[in-house]
Amino acid sequence: MDLKDHIRPVPDYPKPGILFYDISTLLAHPAAWHETIERLAAIIEKEKPDVLAGIESRGFLLAAPLALRLGLGFIMVRKKGKLPGKTIPYSYDLEYGSDTIEIQEDAIKPGQRVVMLDDLLATGGTMEAAVALLKQAGADVRMAACIIELNFLKGRERLAGLPVTTLIQYDD
């Protein structure tokens, strides 16, 4: 199955000149969604993770069913102020400004093997920050995985040394 056939390109979203790759159509197609989960599960299980981490919010859509499929726990990486209890924050710079992401303080035990997940790898800034946050908390981040990668934005380069797997790539 060609998963690219189930991704809807949306021109000029969220602003003029941007081509948005919408996974809603993939999620709505049971066979394509199942194939996506199975392909990623086959790759991820080789890393023998203890837990999967997903980046808010579309990363949750990927990491939660994969964690269930692989019999693993799931950790949410969220924007500041969205998680109850004590959290570990990580601030990072964006193209225009900065942002902070967090995990719950007790989400990771030192040395746990983690695979980081999101729906799309673009410039890599948020993924890089999420990996740094997990490492700061003591995690052994084994790899990053996404459904889609926008090769022309070179986000993979920001994750130097970390294996990255994506199922669909776009070159422009």
Side-chain angles (χ1 to χ4, degrees):
M1 176 183 297
D2 188 349
L3 296 176
K4 233 181 213 187
D5 293 341
H6 300 281
I7 303 296
R8 175 178 42 201
V10 180
D12 299 319
Y13 183 82
K15 59 185 182 177
I18 302 291
L19 180 58
F20 184 84
Y21 293 101
D22 183 13
I23 66 166
S24 297
T25 46
L26 177 73
L27 296 170
H29 191 282
W33 182 231
H34 183 264
E35 182 69 17
T36 300
I37 295 300
E38 289 303 314
R39 286 184 193 180
L40 284 170
I43 295 163
I44 290 168
E45 68 187 349
K46 293 175 186 170
E47 295 296 328
K48 301 190 184 327
D50 298 308
V51 68
L52 302 183
I55 298 173
E56 182 176 349
S57 65
R58 289 183 303 266
F60 296 175
L61 297 173
L62 187 58
L66 275 165
L68 182 63
R69 162 68 177 76
L70 295 170
L72 303 171
F74 164 58
I75 295 169
M76 295 179 287
V77 178
R78 299 211 61 189
K79 292 180 180 180
K80 184 176 181 175
K82 301 287 186 177
L83 292 169
K86 291 185 179 183
T87 60
I88 302 170
Y90 186 88
S91 296
Y92 62 105
D93 292 326
L94 300 166
E95 189 174 345
Y96 300 104
S98 63
D99 206 352
T100 300
I101 55 175
E102 298 177 321
I103 59 171
Q104 290 174 310
E105 190 176 70
D106 60 354
I108 293 284
K109 293 179 182 74
Q112 276 191 306
R113 296 179 307 273
V114 179
V115 171
M116 188 76 245
L117 294 147
D118 204 358
D119 69 319
L120 181 131
L121 179 61
T123 63
T126 303
M127 181 70 77
E128 178 185 43
V131 168
L133 170 58
L134 290 168
K135 287 182 176 182
Q136 175 184 309
D140 174 11
V141 181
R142 306 306 295 251
M143 72 176 295
C146 300
I147 298 170
I148 299 170
E149 180 175 6
L150 305 180
N151 291 336
F152 58 95
L153 294 177
K154 303 185 186 312
R156 183 180 291 259
E157 292 176 7
R158 294 182 79 161
L159 303 171
L162 185 67
V164 178
T165 292
T166 57
L167 299 180
I168 301 168
Q169 297 81 33
Y170 293 97
D171 292 320
D172 56 7

